[in-house]
């Protein structure tokens, strides 16, 4: 059974930093893309960042480009999101996502709350 568990969320002041981690289990995910989405109260879930399982290509949403960095450790089946220069508009529940480009199967974590105060 595939499971994704996020950690590292919390409360931080604007301009601060936070690091989120996602641990995947149930199979080997080295060939899967891994990424992060977020959802603020009353808003739609939006794409944040993704890293491919092939050569580590990364894509970022324009709103976080230059501030967030995504990375992965295939030996540990983990993906990390380093968030710097946080803004109040970054406040949301952040969800880990794992996707297979071959089967189109997708898996989601339960989310971790990130709150950025002014």
């Amino acid at each position: 059974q595939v499971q994704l568990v996020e950690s590292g969320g919390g409360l931080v002041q604007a301009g601060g930093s936070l690091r989120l981690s996602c641990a995947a289990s149930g199979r080997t995910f080295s060939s899967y893309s891994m990424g992060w989405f977020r959802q603020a109260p009353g808003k739609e879930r939006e794409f944040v960042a993704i890293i491919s399982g092939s050569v580590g290509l990364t894509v970022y949403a324009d709103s976080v480009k230059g501030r967030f960095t995504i990375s992965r450790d295939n030996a540990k089946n983990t993906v990390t999101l380093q968030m710097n220069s946080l803004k109040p508009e970054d406040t949301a529940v952040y969800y880990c996502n794992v996707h297979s480009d071959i089967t189109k199967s997708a898996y989601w974590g339960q989310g971790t709350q990130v709150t950025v105060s002014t």
Side-chain angles (χ1 to χ4, degrees), residues 27-94:
R27 64 183 66 182
T28 300
F29 297 96
S30 58
S31 64
Y32 288 61
S33 293
M34 306 181 77
W36 294 89
F37 290 71
R38 66 186 182 187
Q39 187 168 22
K43 302 293 185 178
E44 297 180 331
R45 187 173 298 187
E46 65 175 350
F47 167 78
V48 176
I50 192 170
I51 182 167
S52 74
S54 56
V55 294
L57 296 174
T58 58
V59 179
Y60 297 91
D62 289 339
S63 59
V64 307
K65 198 171 301 180
R67 300 188 298 120
F68 291 10
T69 302
I70 188 170
S71 60
R72 66 188 293 165
D73 185 338
N74 287 333
K76 298 181 178 181
N77 284 335
T78 60
V79 60
T80 299
L81 185 68
Q82 177 65 47
M83 305 184 293
N84 298 324
S85 301
L86 284 163
K87 306 174 180 179
E89 50 262 45
D90 294 318
T91 296
V93 176
Y94 284 69

